[in-house]
Amino acid sequence: MNAVSPVVDAPSSGTGLVTAEAVALDLRPARLGSRAIALGIDILVQLALAAVVMMVVGVVLAMLPDSLVDDALVGAVMRIVIVVVLLAYPTIVETKTNGRSPGKAAMGLRVIREDGGPITVRHAFTRSLVGFTVEWPGLLLPFLTWAGSLATMIASDKGRRLGDLAAGTLVVHERRPVPFRFVPGMPAGLAPWAATADLSAVDDDLAAEVRQYLSRAQELSEPHAGSLQAMLSYEVGARVTPPPPPGTPPWLFLCAVLAERRRRSAAQLAAGRLVTERVLPGFGRTTRPFPAFPVRPASPSR
């Protein structure tokens, strides 16, 4: 049987992005909290880079003749260092890493285009230039532009800042939380039959398909849910002997088969560990004692 691809209702995309092939991208836009932490990490990296660059520049200036080093040269060098650290560095990093600066990489974020594609040097430079002038550090009216950038990000349904609006980009989460999916256990009354059934023909791939269906059955819409249940019941029923008791609903039949396979796997694992313990006592167990933490005696009651 080929891998089953259940048809489910399309989840709503947090970004609303649709590719040119009419494929909706289910991505979560990054909000103020995660982006603020990522920005803090990037600022620390930029400060460290600025310190290293200034150290190198100081050594180079110290090696030059005093007649060449004046206030104009020092001022020009300082401006170049600021541009390199605050404009060139983020542009190069985001371009080479496809939108993942050190702070964004630590927080699991990435900068993408509005159409979901990777950013180019034009997008990275525009973001860095807008940030350099009106956001962070914001050379033009810093406090006023900071408030404007913060208000723009809060008001945007996708958490976009001024640099994102100018460059046509947005920041999204690369990682998605995996929801807990409940898989039903052994149905009442089918345990005696399942214990004597031959399940050797039910391979891991088919069992994985059954597990996926049972864990997502509530998300499936009709008629897809019914047709998928019928397909899996027919495929599993052709491989299991003896058949389940007459009148067993397909749902309970699939639950019983999956629960019995899980029970037998756990029993085999426990038996294997028991044999290993008999042959190689203590194998796989740590021999280092855990440190004993001092416990303060309770004060006597008065």
Side-chain angles (χ1 to χ4, degrees), residues 1-299:
M1 178 180 178
N2 295 330
V4 178
S5 299
V7 181
V8 300
D9 295 332
S12 59
S13 175
T15 58
L17 296 179
V18 180
T19 65
E21 294 78 13
V23 177
L25 300 179
D26 188 15
L27 300 173
R28 286 193 306 143
R31 302 296 180 180
L32 179 61
S34 57
R35 295 191 63 173
I37 297 176
L39 176 61
I41 297 175
D42 288 333
I43 290 176
L44 293 178
V45 174
Q46 287 177 318
L47 291 177
L49 176 63
V52 173
V53 174
M54 289 301 299
M55 186 181 303
V56 174
V57 169
V59 172
V60 173
L61 292 179
M63 297 174 59
L64 295 177
D66 295 339
S67 59
L68 296 179
V69 180
D70 55 7
D71 294 340
L73 178 61
V74 174
V77 171
M78 290 295 297
R79 291 180 175 86
I80 293 175
V81 171
I82 292 175
V83 171
V84 169
V85 174
L86 298 180
L87 185 60
Y89 165 75
T91 300
I92 295 173
V93 169
E94 288 195 350
T95 302
K96 293 298 184 180
T97 61
N98 289 328
R100 298 176 78 243
S101 64
K104 292 182 178 65
M107 296 301 298
L109 308 180
R110 181 186 293 272
V111 183
I112 61 175
R113 300 197 310 259
E114 287 181 307
D115 60 358
I119 63 173
T120 62
V121 63
R122 174 176 63 86
H123 302 92
F125 177 75
T126 303
R127 283 171 48 83
S128 301
L129 182 62
V130 174
F132 180 69
T133 54
V134 299
E135 289 182 321
W136 176 260
L139 301 182
L140 305 176
L141 303 176
F143 295 101
L144 180 61
T145 55
W146 291 353
S149 176
L150 184 62
T152 302
M153 185 179 299
I154 294 176
S156 174
D157 58 343
K158 300 176 182 177
R160 303 173 69 186
R161 63 178 179 86
L162 294 177
D164 293 318
L165 296 175
T169 60
L170 70 155
V171 181
V172 297
H173 288 272
E174 289 189 307
R175 314 183 190 104
R176 290 192 60 83
V178 180
F180 171 76
R181 300 188 184 277
F182 173 74
V183 178
M186 176 65 68
L190 291 181
W193 163 79
T196 60
D198 183 7
L199 308 180
S200 58
V202 181
D203 54 20
D204 293 338
D205 293 336
L206 181 56
E209 294 171 8
V210 174
R211 184 182 302 108
Q212 182 184 16
Y213 164 73
L214 294 178
S215 64
R216 304 185 62 182
Q218 301 300 325
E219 303 174 10
L220 303 179
S221 59
E222 295 293 347
H224 308 296
S227 60
L228 182 57
Q229 178 178 268
M231 290 172 53
L232 290 174
S233 300
Y234 175 79
E235 181 69 18
V236 175
R239 302 189 184 191
V240 174
T241 55
T248 301
W251 168 269
L252 298 182
F253 168 59
L254 296 176
C255 291
V257 171
L258 193 62
E260 180 62 20
R261 289 186 88 255
R262 185 166 57 245
R263 186 192 68 82
R264 295 181 184 182
S265 297
Q268 292 177 358
L269 180 60
R273 290 177 176 175
L274 182 60
V275 173
T276 303
E277 181 65 23
R278 290 177 179 177
V279 177
L280 300 173
F283 180 78
R285 293 184 299 181
T286 179
T287 57
R288 185 178 59 182
F290 291 99
F293 295 97
V295 178
R296 186 178 60 183
S299 57

